[in-house]
Amino acid sequence: MITTMKNRISPSDQVFASIENNGRVLATMNKSNFSSTEDVMRLIMSMAGKWMGVARISIRNKSQGWTENRAIALSCC
């Protein structure tokens, strides 16, 4: 998975993430022990289950004080 997120995550950081599709929250989590933003994205997408269309992923690192939002698209076939 290629990502352009520039902020870093340390394993001790407390991270909140959510994913929304068409205004509906598919999954949220509040955890630590991640080594990268890619790990966070991978987990939140797997928690969301199957969906189609454009979704918004929000990742907030409470420990370092930053938030990033990203749009992703999933299509059938």
Short mmCIF file of all heavy atoms in Angstrom, two decimals:
data_model
loop_
_atom_site.label_atom_id
_atom_site.label_comp_id
_atom_site.label_asym_id
_atom_site.label_seq_id
_atom_site.Cartn_x
_atom_site.Cartn_y
_atom_site.Cartn_z
N MET A 1 0.84 -1.17 0.00
CA MET A 1 0.00 0.00 0.00
C MET A 1 0.89 1.23 0.00
O MET A 1 1.73 1.41 0.86
CB MET A 1 -0.89 -0.03 1.25
CG MET A 1 -1.72 1.20 1.40
SD MET A 1 -2.72 1.25 2.91
CE MET A 1 -3.62 -0.25 2.80
N ILE A 2 0.72 2.11 -0.97
CA ILE A 2 1.50 3.33 -1.06
C ILE A 2 0.68 4.46 -0.44
O ILE A 2 -0.50 4.61 -0.73
CB ILE A 2 1.83 3.66 -2.54
CG1 ILE A 2 2.69 2.55 -3.11
CG2 ILE A 2 2.53 5.00 -2.63
CD1 ILE A 2 2.95 2.67 -4.57
N THR A 3 1.30 5.24 0.39
CA THR A 3 0.61 6.33 1.06
C THR A 3 1.48 7.57 1.06
O THR A 3 2.69 7.48 1.04
CB THR A 3 0.20 5.95 2.50
OG1 THR A 3 0.04 7.12 3.27
CG2 THR A 3 1.17 5.06 3.16
N THR A 4 0.83 8.73 1.09
CA THR A 4 1.57 9.99 1.10
C THR A 4 1.51 10.65 2.47
O THR A 4 1.87 11.80 2.62
CB THR A 4 0.98 10.95 0.06
OG1 THR A 4 -0.39 11.17 0.36
CG2 THR A 4 1.15 10.41 -1.33
N MET A 5 1.06 9.94 3.47
CA MET A 5 1.00 10.52 4.81
C MET A 5 2.41 10.79 5.30
O MET A 5 3.28 9.95 5.21
CB MET A 5 0.26 9.60 5.77
CG MET A 5 -1.21 9.49 5.45
SD MET A 5 -2.02 8.51 6.68
CE MET A 5 -3.70 8.97 6.39
N LYS A 6 2.63 11.99 5.82
CA LYS A 6 3.98 12.41 6.18
C LYS A 6 4.28 12.30 7.66
O LYS A 6 5.42 12.36 8.07
CB LYS A 6 4.22 13.84 5.70
CG LYS A 6 3.27 14.84 6.34
CD LYS A 6 3.46 16.20 5.73
CE LYS A 6 2.46 17.19 6.28
NZ LYS A 6 1.12 17.08 5.81
N ASN A 7 3.26 12.18 8.49
CA ASN A 7 3.47 12.12 9.92
C ASN A 7 3.86 10.72 10.37
O ASN A 7 3.46 9.73 9.78
CB ASN A 7 2.22 12.58 10.66
CG ASN A 7 1.96 14.05 10.45
OD1 ASN A 7 2.88 14.86 10.56
ND2 ASN A 7 0.74 14.41 10.13
N ARG A 8 4.62 10.66 11.43
CA ARG A 8 5.14 9.39 11.94
C ARG A 8 4.36 8.94 13.16
O ARG A 8 3.76 9.74 13.88
CB ARG A 8 6.60 9.55 12.32
CG ARG A 8 7.44 10.06 11.17
CD ARG A 8 8.51 9.09 10.82
NE ARG A 8 9.35 9.63 9.77
CZ ARG A 8 9.44 9.04 8.60
NH1 ARG A 8 8.81 7.94 8.35
NH2 ARG A 8 10.22 9.56 7.67
N ILE A 9 4.41 7.63 13.40
CA ILE A 9 3.78 7.03 14.57
C ILE A 9 4.83 6.18 15.28
O ILE A 9 5.53 5.39 14.65
CB ILE A 9 2.58 6.15 14.18
CG1 ILE A 9 1.48 7.02 13.58
CG2 ILE A 9 2.06 5.37 15.38
CD1 ILE A 9 0.28 6.23 13.11
N SER A 10 4.92 6.33 16.58
CA SER A 10 5.78 5.50 17.42
C SER A 10 4.91 4.47 18.14
O SER A 10 3.73 4.72 18.39
CB SER A 10 6.50 6.35 18.46
OG SER A 10 7.30 7.31 17.84
N PRO A 11 5.47 3.31 18.50
CA PRO A 11 4.68 2.28 19.17
C PRO A 11 4.00 2.73 20.46
O PRO A 11 2.95 2.22 20.83
CB PRO A 11 5.70 1.17 19.44
CG PRO A 11 6.73 1.34 18.38
CD PRO A 11 6.82 2.84 18.17
N SER A 12 4.55 3.72 21.14
CA SER A 12 3.95 4.18 22.40
C SER A 12 2.86 5.24 22.19
O SER A 12 2.18 5.61 23.14
CB SER A 12 5.03 4.74 23.31
OG SER A 12 5.65 5.85 22.70
N ASP A 13 2.68 5.73 20.96
CA ASP A 13 1.69 6.76 20.68
C ASP A 13 0.27 6.21 20.77
O ASP A 13 -0.01 5.10 20.33
CB ASP A 13 1.88 7.36 19.29
CG ASP A 13 3.15 8.16 19.17
OD1 ASP A 13 3.76 8.48 20.21
OD2 ASP A 13 3.55 8.47 18.03
N GLN A 14 -0.64 7.02 21.33
CA GLN A 14 -2.06 6.67 21.38
C GLN A 14 -2.70 7.20 20.10
O GLN A 14 -2.65 8.39 19.81
CB GLN A 14 -2.72 7.31 22.60
CG GLN A 14 -4.11 6.83 22.87
CD GLN A 14 -4.16 5.35 23.25
OE1 GLN A 14 -3.23 4.82 23.84
NE2 GLN A 14 -5.24 4.70 22.91
N VAL A 15 -3.31 6.30 19.31
CA VAL A 15 -3.85 6.64 18.00
C VAL A 15 -5.35 6.38 17.96
O VAL A 15 -5.81 5.32 18.39
CB VAL A 15 -3.14 5.81 16.89
CG1 VAL A 15 -3.75 6.08 15.54
CG2 VAL A 15 -1.65 6.11 16.87
N PHE A 16 -6.10 7.36 17.45
CA PHE A 16 -7.52 7.20 17.20
C PHE A 16 -7.72 7.23 15.70
O PHE A 16 -7.18 8.09 15.02
CB PHE A 16 -8.33 8.33 17.85
CG PHE A 16 -9.79 8.28 17.51
CD1 PHE A 16 -10.63 7.41 18.17
CD2 PHE A 16 -10.30 9.07 16.51
CE1 PHE A 16 -11.97 7.34 17.85
CE2 PHE A 16 -11.65 9.01 16.17
CZ PHE A 16 -12.47 8.14 16.85
N ALA A 17 -8.48 6.29 15.16
CA ALA A 17 -8.74 6.26 13.72
C ALA A 17 -10.20 5.91 13.47
O ALA A 17 -10.83 5.20 14.25
CB ALA A 17 -7.84 5.24 13.03
N SER A 18 -10.72 6.45 12.37
CA SER A 18 -12.09 6.12 11.96
C SER A 18 -12.15 6.07 10.45
O SER A 18 -11.32 6.66 9.75
CB SER A 18 -13.08 7.14 12.50
OG SER A 18 -12.86 8.40 11.93
N ILE A 19 -13.14 5.34 9.94
CA ILE A 19 -13.38 5.28 8.51
C ILE A 19 -14.87 5.46 8.28
O ILE A 19 -15.70 4.86 8.98
CB ILE A 19 -12.85 3.95 7.90
CG1 ILE A 19 -13.03 3.94 6.38
CG2 ILE A 19 -13.47 2.75 8.56
CD1 ILE A 19 -12.30 2.81 5.68
N GLU A 20 -15.22 6.36 7.33
CA GLU A 20 -16.61 6.67 7.01
C GLU A 20 -16.84 6.48 5.53
O GLU A 20 -15.98 6.81 4.71
CB GLU A 20 -16.93 8.12 7.35
CG GLU A 20 -16.82 8.48 8.81
CD GLU A 20 -17.12 9.95 9.05
OE1 GLU A 20 -17.74 10.60 8.18
OE2 GLU A 20 -16.73 10.44 10.12
N ASN A 21 -18.02 5.97 5.18
CA ASN A 21 -18.42 5.78 3.80
C ASN A 21 -19.82 6.36 3.65
O ASN A 21 -20.74 5.92 4.34
CB ASN A 21 -18.40 4.29 3.43
CG ASN A 21 -18.90 4.01 2.04
OD1 ASN A 21 -19.99 3.51 1.87
ND2 ASN A 21 -18.09 4.30 1.05
N ASN A 22 -19.97 7.36 2.79
CA ASN A 22 -21.26 8.02 2.57
C ASN A 22 -21.88 8.52 3.87
O ASN A 22 -23.07 8.38 4.10
CB ASN A 22 -22.24 7.10 1.84
CG ASN A 22 -21.82 6.82 0.43
OD1 ASN A 22 -21.22 7.66 -0.22
ND2 ASN A 22 -22.12 5.63 -0.06
N GLY A 23 -21.06 9.08 4.76
CA GLY A 23 -21.55 9.63 6.01
C GLY A 23 -21.81 8.62 7.11
O GLY A 23 -22.19 8.98 8.21
N ARG A 24 -21.59 7.35 6.83
CA ARG A 24 -21.82 6.29 7.82
C ARG A 24 -20.47 5.82 8.37
O ARG A 24 -19.57 5.47 7.61
CB ARG A 24 -22.54 5.12 7.16
CG ARG A 24 -22.96 4.04 8.13
CD ARG A 24 -23.65 2.94 7.38
NE ARG A 24 -22.60 2.19 6.67
CZ ARG A 24 -22.76 0.98 6.20
NH1 ARG A 24 -23.89 0.37 6.29
NH2 ARG A 24 -21.77 0.38 5.59
N VAL A 25 -20.34 5.81 9.68
CA VAL A 25 -19.10 5.35 10.30
C VAL A 25 -19.04 3.82 10.19
O VAL A 25 -19.93 3.12 10.67
CB VAL A 25 -19.01 5.78 11.78
CG1 VAL A 25 -17.77 5.21 12.43
CG2 VAL A 25 -19.03 7.30 11.89
N LEU A 26 -18.01 3.32 9.53
CA LEU A 26 -17.84 1.88 9.33
C LEU A 26 -17.06 1.25 10.47
O LEU A 26 -17.30 0.11 10.84
CB LEU A 26 -17.14 1.60 8.01
CG LEU A 26 -17.83 2.13 6.76
CD1 LEU A 26 -16.96 1.89 5.54
CD2 LEU A 26 -19.21 1.48 6.58
N ALA A 27 -16.08 1.98 11.02
CA ALA A 27 -15.27 1.45 12.11
C ALA A 27 -14.52 2.59 12.79
O ALA A 27 -14.19 3.60 12.16
CB ALA A 27 -14.28 0.42 11.58
N THR A 28 -14.27 2.40 14.08
CA THR A 28 -13.41 3.32 14.84
C THR A 28 -12.52 2.49 15.74
O THR A 28 -12.87 1.36 16.10
CB THR A 28 -14.21 4.30 15.71
OG1 THR A 28 -14.96 3.57 16.67
CG2 THR A 28 -15.12 5.18 14.89
N MET A 29 -11.39 3.06 16.11
CA MET A 29 -10.50 2.37 17.05
C MET A 29 -9.68 3.40 17.81
O MET A 29 -9.46 4.51 17.33
CB MET A 29 -9.61 1.38 16.34
CG MET A 29 -8.58 1.99 15.46
SD MET A 29 -7.53 0.73 14.77
CE MET A 29 -6.48 1.73 13.76
N ASN A 30 -9.24 3.00 18.98
CA ASN A 30 -8.42 3.83 19.85
C ASN A 30 -7.37 2.90 20.45
O ASN A 30 -7.66 2.18 21.40
CB ASN A 30 -9.28 4.48 20.92
CG ASN A 30 -8.55 5.51 21.71
OD1 ASN A 30 -7.41 5.86 21.41
ND2 ASN A 30 -9.19 6.00 22.75
N LYS A 31 -6.17 2.87 19.85
CA LYS A 31 -5.15 1.91 20.25
C LYS A 31 -3.76 2.52 20.20
O LYS A 31 -3.57 3.61 19.69
CB LYS A 31 -5.16 0.71 19.28
CG LYS A 31 -6.43 -0.11 19.29
CD LYS A 31 -6.31 -1.25 18.30
CE LYS A 31 -5.43 -2.30 18.91
NZ LYS A 31 -5.47 -3.58 18.25
N SER A 32 -2.80 1.76 20.66
CA SER A 32 -1.39 2.11 20.52
C SER A 32 -0.67 0.89 19.95
O SER A 32 -1.31 -0.08 19.57
CB SER A 32 -0.79 2.52 21.86
OG SER A 32 -0.92 1.48 22.79
N ASN A 33 0.64 0.95 19.90
CA ASN A 33 1.48 -0.15 19.42
C ASN A 33 1.44 -0.30 17.89
O ASN A 33 1.45 -1.42 17.38
CB ASN A 33 1.13 -1.47 20.11
CG ASN A 33 2.31 -2.42 20.10
OD1 ASN A 33 3.45 -2.00 19.93
ND2 ASN A 33 2.03 -3.69 20.27
N PHE A 34 1.41 0.82 17.18
CA PHE A 34 1.53 0.82 15.73
C PHE A 34 2.93 1.30 15.37
O PHE A 34 3.49 2.15 16.06
CB PHE A 34 0.51 1.77 15.08
CG PHE A 34 -0.90 1.30 15.20
CD1 PHE A 34 -1.76 1.90 16.11
CD2 PHE A 34 -1.38 0.28 14.42
CE1 PHE A 34 -3.07 1.48 16.24
CE2 PHE A 34 -2.69 -0.15 14.54
CZ PHE A 34 -3.54 0.46 15.45
N SER A 35 3.46 0.79 14.27
CA SER A 35 4.78 1.24 13.85
C SER A 35 4.73 2.19 12.66
O SER A 35 5.74 2.80 12.31
CB SER A 35 5.67 0.05 13.53
OG SER A 35 5.09 -0.74 12.52
N SER A 36 3.55 2.33 12.02
CA SER A 36 3.43 3.22 10.86
C SER A 36 1.97 3.56 10.60
O SER A 36 1.06 2.88 11.09
CB SER A 36 4.03 2.56 9.61
OG SER A 36 3.24 1.46 9.23
N THR A 37 1.76 4.60 9.80
CA THR A 37 0.40 4.96 9.40
C THR A 37 -0.21 3.87 8.52
O THR A 37 -1.41 3.65 8.53
CB THR A 37 0.37 6.31 8.67
OG1 THR A 37 1.29 6.28 7.59
CG2 THR A 37 0.70 7.44 9.61
N GLU A 38 0.64 3.16 7.77
CA GLU A 38 0.16 2.07 6.94
C GLU A 38 -0.46 0.96 7.79
O GLU A 38 -1.47 0.37 7.42
CB GLU A 38 1.29 1.49 6.07
CG GLU A 38 1.75 2.40 4.96
CD GLU A 38 2.78 3.43 5.41
OE1 GLU A 38 3.21 3.39 6.59
OE2 GLU A 38 3.15 4.27 4.59
N ASP A 39 0.14 0.68 8.95
CA ASP A 39 -0.43 -0.32 9.87
C ASP A 39 -1.81 0.10 10.36
O ASP A 39 -2.72 -0.71 10.43
CB ASP A 39 0.48 -0.52 11.09
CG ASP A 39 1.79 -1.22 10.76
OD1 ASP A 39 1.89 -1.81 9.66
OD2 ASP A 39 2.71 -1.16 11.60
N VAL A 40 -1.95 1.38 10.67
CA VAL A 40 -3.25 1.90 11.12
C VAL A 40 -4.28 1.77 10.01
O VAL A 40 -5.39 1.28 10.22
CB VAL A 40 -3.13 3.38 11.57
CG1 VAL A 40 -4.49 3.93 11.95
CG2 VAL A 40 -2.14 3.52 12.71
N MET A 41 -3.92 2.19 8.80
CA MET A 41 -4.85 2.11 7.67
C MET A 41 -5.24 0.67 7.37
O MET A 41 -6.41 0.38 7.12
CB MET A 41 -4.23 2.76 6.43
CG MET A 41 -4.17 4.27 6.55
SD MET A 41 -3.56 5.07 5.08
CE MET A 41 -4.74 4.55 3.86
N ARG A 42 -4.29 -0.22 7.41
CA ARG A 42 -4.58 -1.63 7.14
C ARG A 42 -5.59 -2.18 8.14
O ARG A 42 -6.56 -2.85 7.77
CB ARG A 42 -3.27 -2.42 7.18
CG ARG A 42 -3.30 -3.71 6.44
CD ARG A 42 -1.92 -4.37 6.37
NE ARG A 42 -0.96 -3.55 5.63
CZ ARG A 42 0.15 -3.02 6.15
NH1 ARG A 42 0.47 -3.22 7.40
NH2 ARG A 42 0.96 -2.31 5.40
N LEU A 43 -5.40 -1.88 9.43
CA LEU A 43 -6.30 -2.39 10.46
C LEU A 43 -7.69 -1.78 10.37
O LEU A 43 -8.69 -2.50 10.40
CB LEU A 43 -5.71 -2.16 11.85
CG LEU A 43 -6.58 -2.65 13.01
CD1 LEU A 43 -6.84 -4.15 12.90
CD2 LEU A 43 -5.92 -2.32 14.34
N ILE A 44 -7.78 -0.47 10.21
CA ILE A 44 -9.09 0.17 10.17
C ILE A 44 -9.88 -0.26 8.93
O ILE A 44 -11.09 -0.46 8.99
CB ILE A 44 -8.99 1.72 10.29
CG1 ILE A 44 -10.34 2.34 10.65
CG2 ILE A 44 -8.46 2.36 9.04
CD1 ILE A 44 -10.79 2.12 12.04
N MET A 45 -9.19 -0.48 7.81
CA MET A 45 -9.88 -0.96 6.61
C MET A 45 -10.38 -2.39 6.80
O MET A 45 -11.47 -2.73 6.36
CB MET A 45 -8.97 -0.84 5.39
CG MET A 45 -8.79 0.60 4.96
SD MET A 45 -7.64 0.80 3.59
CE MET A 45 -8.51 -0.04 2.28
N SER A 46 -9.60 -3.22 7.48
CA SER A 46 -10.06 -4.60 7.71
C SER A 46 -11.23 -4.62 8.70
O SER A 46 -12.12 -5.44 8.58
CB SER A 46 -8.91 -5.47 8.22
OG SER A 46 -8.53 -5.11 9.52
N MET A 47 -11.24 -3.69 9.65
CA MET A 47 -12.35 -3.61 10.61
C MET A 47 -13.64 -3.15 9.93
O MET A 47 -14.74 -3.48 10.38
CB MET A 47 -12.00 -2.64 11.74
CG MET A 47 -10.92 -3.14 12.67
SD MET A 47 -10.39 -1.87 13.84
CE MET A 47 -11.88 -1.63 14.79
N ALA A 48 -13.52 -2.37 8.85
CA ALA A 48 -14.69 -1.81 8.17
C ALA A 48 -15.47 -2.86 7.39
O ALA A 48 -16.62 -2.64 7.06
CB ALA A 48 -14.25 -0.68 7.24
N GLY A 49 -14.85 -3.98 7.07
CA GLY A 49 -15.54 -5.01 6.30
C GLY A 49 -15.61 -4.65 4.83
O GLY A 49 -14.84 -3.85 4.33
N LYS A 50 -16.59 -5.22 4.14
CA LYS A 50 -16.73 -5.00 2.70
C LYS A 50 -17.62 -3.79 2.45
O LYS A 50 -18.67 -3.65 3.04
CB LYS A 50 -17.34 -6.22 2.03
CG LYS A 50 -16.43 -7.43 2.14
CD LYS A 50 -16.96 -8.54 1.29
CE LYS A 50 -16.09 -9.76 1.43
NZ LYS A 50 -15.01 -9.81 0.50
N TRP A 51 -17.15 -2.92 1.56
CA TRP A 51 -17.90 -1.74 1.17
C TRP A 51 -17.42 -1.31 -0.20
O TRP A 51 -16.37 -1.74 -0.67
CB TRP A 51 -17.74 -0.60 2.19
CG TRP A 51 -16.31 -0.29 2.51
CD1 TRP A 51 -15.55 -0.88 3.47
CD2 TRP A 51 -15.45 0.63 1.84
NE1 TRP A 51 -14.28 -0.37 3.46
CE2 TRP A 51 -14.19 0.57 2.47
CE3 TRP A 51 -15.62 1.52 0.80
CZ2 TRP A 51 -13.12 1.34 2.07
CZ3 TRP A 51 -14.55 2.29 0.41
CH2 TRP A 51 -13.32 2.20 1.05
N MET A 52 -18.20 -0.48 -0.88
CA MET A 52 -17.82 0.05 -2.19
C MET A 52 -18.00 1.56 -2.19
O MET A 52 -18.88 2.08 -1.52
CB MET A 52 -18.70 -0.54 -3.29
CG MET A 52 -18.10 -1.77 -3.90
SD MET A 52 -19.04 -2.49 -5.24
CE MET A 52 -19.95 -1.19 -5.97
N GLY A 53 -17.15 2.24 -2.91
CA GLY A 53 -17.27 3.68 -3.04
C GLY A 53 -16.09 4.39 -2.41
O GLY A 53 -15.04 3.81 -2.17
N VAL A 54 -16.30 5.66 -2.13
CA VAL A 54 -15.26 6.50 -1.55
C VAL A 54 -15.46 6.54 -0.03
O VAL A 54 -16.57 6.72 0.44
CB VAL A 54 -15.30 7.93 -2.13
CG1 VAL A 54 -14.28 8.82 -1.45
CG2 VAL A 54 -15.06 7.90 -3.63
N ALA A 55 -14.39 6.37 0.69
CA ALA A 55 -14.44 6.44 2.15
C ALA A 55 -13.40 7.45 2.63
O ALA A 55 -12.43 7.76 1.93
CB ALA A 55 -14.16 5.08 2.77
N ARG A 56 -13.63 7.97 3.82
CA ARG A 56 -12.69 8.91 4.42
C ARG A 56 -12.09 8.27 5.65
O ARG A 56 -12.79 7.80 6.53
CB ARG A 56 -13.40 10.20 4.82
CG ARG A 56 -12.47 11.25 5.38
CD ARG A 56 -13.19 12.53 5.70
NE ARG A 56 -14.07 12.39 6.85
CZ ARG A 56 -13.70 12.62 8.11
NH1 ARG A 56 -12.48 12.98 8.37
NH2 ARG A 56 -14.56 12.49 9.09
N ILE A 57 -10.77 8.23 5.68
CA ILE A 57 -10.05 7.71 6.84
C ILE A 57 -9.45 8.89 7.59
O ILE A 57 -8.81 9.75 6.98
CB ILE A 57 -8.93 6.73 6.44
CG1 ILE A 57 -9.52 5.48 5.81
CG2 ILE A 57 -8.07 6.36 7.64
CD1 ILE A 57 -8.49 4.48 5.34
N SER A 58 -9.69 8.94 8.88
CA SER A 58 -9.12 9.97 9.73
C SER A 58 -8.22 9.29 10.75
O SER A 58 -8.65 8.36 11.43
CB SER A 58 -10.23 10.74 10.43
OG SER A 58 -9.69 11.68 11.33
N ILE A 59 -6.98 9.74 10.84
CA ILE A 59 -6.02 9.20 11.81
C ILE A 59 -5.56 10.35 12.68
O ILE A 59 -5.05 11.36 12.18
CB ILE A 59 -4.81 8.54 11.12
CG1 ILE A 59 -5.27 7.38 10.24
CG2 ILE A 59 -3.79 8.07 12.16
CD1 ILE A 59 -4.16 6.75 9.42
N ARG A 60 -5.74 10.19 13.99
CA ARG A 60 -5.30 11.22 14.94
C ARG A 60 -4.30 10.61 15.91
O ARG A 60 -4.60 9.62 16.57
CB ARG A 60 -6.50 11.75 15.73
CG ARG A 60 -6.09 12.78 16.75
CD ARG A 60 -7.28 13.38 17.44
NE ARG A 60 -6.81 14.33 18.44
CZ ARG A 60 -7.13 14.29 19.71
NH1 ARG A 60 -7.94 13.37 20.16
NH2 ARG A 60 -6.65 15.17 20.54
N ASN A 61 -3.13 11.20 15.97
CA ASN A 61 -2.12 10.78 16.92
C ASN A 61 -2.24 11.70 18.13
O ASN A 61 -1.80 12.85 18.10
CB ASN A 61 -0.72 10.87 16.29
CG ASN A 61 0.36 10.30 17.17
OD1 ASN A 61 0.30 10.42 18.38
ND2 ASN A 61 1.34 9.69 16.55
N LYS A 62 -2.87 11.20 19.18
CA LYS A 62 -3.10 12.02 20.37
C LYS A 62 -1.79 12.38 21.07
O LYS A 62 -1.67 13.45 21.65
CB LYS A 62 -4.00 11.28 21.35
CG LYS A 62 -5.38 11.05 20.86
CD LYS A 62 -6.18 10.37 21.95
CE LYS A 62 -7.34 9.60 21.43
NZ LYS A 62 -8.04 8.89 22.49
N SER A 63 -0.83 11.50 21.03
CA SER A 63 0.44 11.71 21.72
C SER A 63 1.28 12.83 21.08
O SER A 63 1.92 13.61 21.78
CB SER A 63 1.26 10.42 21.75
OG SER A 63 0.53 9.40 22.38
N GLN A 64 1.28 12.90 19.76
CA GLN A 64 2.09 13.90 19.06
C GLN A 64 1.27 15.11 18.62
O GLN A 64 1.83 16.12 18.19
CB GLN A 64 2.78 13.27 17.85
CG GLN A 64 3.79 12.21 18.24
CD GLN A 64 4.52 11.66 17.04
OE1 GLN A 64 4.62 12.31 15.99
NE2 GLN A 64 5.05 10.46 17.18
N GLY A 65 -0.05 15.01 18.69
CA GLY A 65 -0.91 16.15 18.40
C GLY A 65 -1.16 16.46 16.94
O GLY A 65 -1.28 17.61 16.56
N TRP A 66 -1.24 15.46 16.09
CA TRP A 66 -1.55 15.72 14.69
C TRP A 66 -2.73 14.85 14.23
O TRP A 66 -3.03 13.82 14.82
CB TRP A 66 -0.35 15.52 13.77
CG TRP A 66 0.34 14.18 13.81
CD1 TRP A 66 1.48 13.88 14.48
CD2 TRP A 66 -0.07 12.97 13.17
NE1 TRP A 66 1.82 12.57 14.29
CE2 TRP A 66 0.88 11.97 13.49
CE3 TRP A 66 -1.14 12.61 12.37
CZ2 TRP A 66 0.78 10.67 13.02
CZ3 TRP A 66 -1.24 11.30 11.90
CH2 TRP A 66 -0.28 10.36 12.22
N THR A 67 -3.39 15.31 13.18
CA THR A 67 -4.50 14.57 12.56
C THR A 67 -4.32 14.62 11.06
O THR A 67 -3.94 15.65 10.51
CB THR A 67 -5.85 15.22 12.91
OG1 THR A 67 -6.01 15.22 14.32
CG2 THR A 67 -7.01 14.47 12.27
N GLU A 68 -4.57 13.50 10.39
CA GLU A 68 -4.55 13.46 8.93
C GLU A 68 -5.81 12.79 8.43
O GLU A 68 -6.31 11.84 9.03
CB GLU A 68 -3.33 12.68 8.43
CG GLU A 68 -2.06 13.45 8.61
CD GLU A 68 -0.94 12.96 7.72
OE1 GLU A 68 -1.21 12.29 6.71
OE2 GLU A 68 0.20 13.26 8.05
N ASN A 69 -6.34 13.33 7.33
CA ASN A 69 -7.51 12.77 6.68
C ASN A 69 -7.12 12.36 5.27
O ASN A 69 -6.32 13.04 4.63
CB ASN A 69 -8.64 13.80 6.61
CG ASN A 69 -9.13 14.15 7.99
OD1 ASN A 69 -9.62 13.31 8.71
ND2 ASN A 69 -8.96 15.41 8.37
N ARG A 70 -7.72 11.28 4.82
CA ARG A 70 -7.40 10.79 3.49
C ARG A 70 -8.63 10.13 2.89
O ARG A 70 -9.37 9.46 3.59
CB ARG A 70 -6.25 9.81 3.62
CG ARG A 70 -6.17 8.75 2.60
CD ARG A 70 -4.92 8.02 2.81
NE ARG A 70 -3.95 8.65 1.96
CZ ARG A 70 -3.06 8.01 1.26
NH1 ARG A 70 -2.94 6.74 1.39
NH2 ARG A 70 -2.26 8.63 0.47
N ALA A 71 -8.85 10.33 1.62
CA ALA A 71 -9.94 9.69 0.90
C ALA A 71 -9.39 8.48 0.16
O ALA A 71 -8.31 8.55 -0.44
CB ALA A 71 -10.58 10.67 -0.08
N ILE A 72 -10.13 7.39 0.21
CA ILE A 72 -9.74 6.19 -0.54
C ILE A 72 -10.97 5.67 -1.27
O ILE A 72 -12.09 5.93 -0.86
CB ILE A 72 -9.16 5.09 0.37
CG1 ILE A 72 -10.16 4.70 1.45
CG2 ILE A 72 -7.87 5.53 1.01
CD1 ILE A 72 -9.78 3.45 2.19
N ALA A 73 -10.76 4.97 -2.36
CA ALA A 73 -11.86 4.44 -3.15
C ALA A 73 -11.69 2.93 -3.28
O ALA A 73 -10.58 2.43 -3.45
CB ALA A 73 -11.90 5.07 -4.52
N LEU A 74 -12.81 2.23 -3.18
CA LEU A 74 -12.81 0.79 -3.39
C LEU A 74 -13.91 0.47 -4.39
O LEU A 74 -15.05 0.91 -4.23
CB LEU A 74 -13.07 0.04 -2.07
CG LEU A 74 -13.02 -1.47 -2.16
CD1 LEU A 74 -11.58 -1.91 -2.45
CD2 LEU A 74 -13.50 -2.10 -0.89
N SER A 75 -13.55 -0.25 -5.44
CA SER A 75 -14.54 -0.58 -6.45
C SER A 75 -14.64 -2.10 -6.58
O SER A 75 -13.75 -2.84 -6.19
CB SER A 75 -14.18 0.05 -7.78
OG SER A 75 -12.93 -0.46 -8.22
N CYS A 76 -15.71 -2.50 -7.12
CA CYS A 76 -15.97 -3.92 -7.32
C CYS A 76 -15.13 -4.45 -8.48
O CYS A 76 -14.82 -3.73 -9.41
CB CYS A 76 -17.45 -4.11 -7.62
SG CYS A 76 -17.88 -5.72 -8.26
N CYS A 77 -14.77 -5.67 -8.42
CA CYS A 77 -14.12 -6.44 -9.49
C CYS A 77 -12.77 -5.92 -9.79
O CYS A 77 -12.09 -5.59 -10.46
CB CYS A 77 -14.98 -6.52 -10.71
SG CYS A 77 -16.68 -6.97 -10.31
#
